[in-house]
Amino acid sequence: MEQINIALDGPAAAGKSTIAKRVATTLSMIYVDTGAMYRAITYKYLKQGKPEDLDHMMKHTTLQLTYDASAGQRVLLDGEDVTDYLRENDVTAHVSYVASKQIVRNFAVQKQKELADQKGIVMDGRDIGTVVLPDAELKVYMVASVDERAARRQKDNEERGISSNITQLKQEIADRDHYDMNRDISPLKKAEDAITLDTTGKSIEDVTNEIISMVEELK
């Protein structure tokens, strides 16, 4: 089978990154975590005290994704590995705002398109099938209930040693859904030719296998 690109879109905590990594590993493809790019830029935005001049900040920003067999994808921001800081609560609370800015999206989307040129890419995000990879051979729009997504986020936070409250997480996820779906620039929406996959109540293995089956049907 010729190399293809797979685009996974959906709201926060729908399981996109986890599934994308599994699918990429199973199919010997390269996983690109686009959310990590926006989180890295958000981390810099917060570290610099929320500067109003994002154009200046982005002109002095370098971003690189590296891959390690044991550590997986690592994110280098201005030459510094910031991977371990990208899931902090403050970054999560501000990433939708920063990612909605045109200068930030232009910067990230250009890098994402460059990575996808080589094919064999599994990429997840919110505008992959609609903006970044409109010609991807397989597009999947992943969804899940707010309750389940909040539970997943809390479990992820616990594993990372980050304190969180389930009620607050539900509200934050609902608020982020509304913001992402209604922003002016690259809003979250399902591509017309994407397949909707509800992951509520399904295991990681079940969802991974469903997507692998979709790939098999392309042969």
Side-chain angles (χ1 to χ4, degrees):
M1 182 178 179
E2 293 184 3
Q3 286 277 48
I4 67 171
N5 285 333
I6 300 174
L8 301 183
D9 286 305
K16 301 184 300 296
S17 297
T18 299
I19 299 304
K21 292 174 188 175
R22 292 291 189 98
V23 170
T25 299
T26 302
L27 298 176
S28 298
M29 299 174 71
I30 296 174
Y31 166 61
V32 178
D33 181 359
T34 64
M37 293 182 176
Y38 292 111
R39 284 176 173 273
I41 296 169
T42 302
Y43 173 77
K44 180 172 183 174
Y45 167 77
L46 294 172
K47 193 173 182 180
Q48 293 195 351
K50 303 180 182 180
E52 293 185 8
D53 191 353
L54 284 178
D55 285 9
H56 177 78
M57 187 186 87
M58 295 310 301
K59 286 177 182 178
H60 296 83
T61 296
T62 62
L63 193 61
Q64 180 182 5
L65 301 183
T66 64
Y67 300 88
D68 181 272
S70 58
Q73 179 179 277
R74 308 297 295 180
V75 183
L76 302 182
L77 175 70
D78 300 332
E80 176 189 358
D81 187 339
V82 297
T83 310
D84 294 337
Y85 306 109
L86 303 186
R87 294 289 171 178
E88 292 180 347
N89 288 336
D90 207 20
V91 173
T92 297
H94 289 84
V95 66
S96 283
Y97 169 77
V98 174
S100 72
K101 300 304 178 182
Q102 187 71 65
I103 185 66
V104 174
R105 297 208 75 83
N106 289 347
F107 177 91
V109 168
Q110 180 59 36
K111 289 193 173 297
Q112 292 157 17
K113 286 180 176 291
E114 290 172 0
L115 289 168
D117 281 344
Q118 61 188 296
K119 290 286 191 177
I121 296 294
V122 181
M123 193 176 290
D124 74 294
R126 285 167 178 72
D127 61 351
I128 308 305
T130 55
V131 176
V132 183
L133 301 179
D135 297 323
E137 287 78 3
L138 177 62
K139 302 175 187 177
V140 180
Y141 189 77
M142 296 174 58
V143 298
S145 68
V146 171
D147 285 352
E148 179 139 343
R149 287 188 283 147
R152 291 173 182 172
R153 181 56 55 81
Q154 185 175 49
K155 181 180 179 182
D156 184 51
N157 285 345
E158 289 175 352
E159 292 174 350
R160 296 172 183 273
I162 299 173
S163 177
S164 57
N165 174 277
I166 190 68
T167 301
Q168 182 179 351
L169 286 174
K170 289 179 183 179
Q171 187 60 55
E172 289 175 352
I173 287 174
D175 290 345
R176 186 169 181 185
D177 284 352
H178 182 268
Y179 187 92
D180 288 345
M181 291 177 180
N182 292 280
R183 66 190 183 199
D184 293 331
I185 302 170
S186 297
L188 167 65
K189 64 180 181 180
K190 176 186 173 183
E192 291 184 2
D193 54 346
I195 300 170
T196 299
L197 178 55
D198 191 339
T199 67
T200 304
K202 295 180 179 179
S203 68
I204 294 172
E205 290 73 18
D206 288 341
V207 178
T208 300
N209 289 336
E210 285 192 48
I211 295 178
I212 297 300
S213 294
M214 294 177 193
V215 175
E216 292 292 329
E217 292 177 3
L218 295 176
K219 295 183 178 179

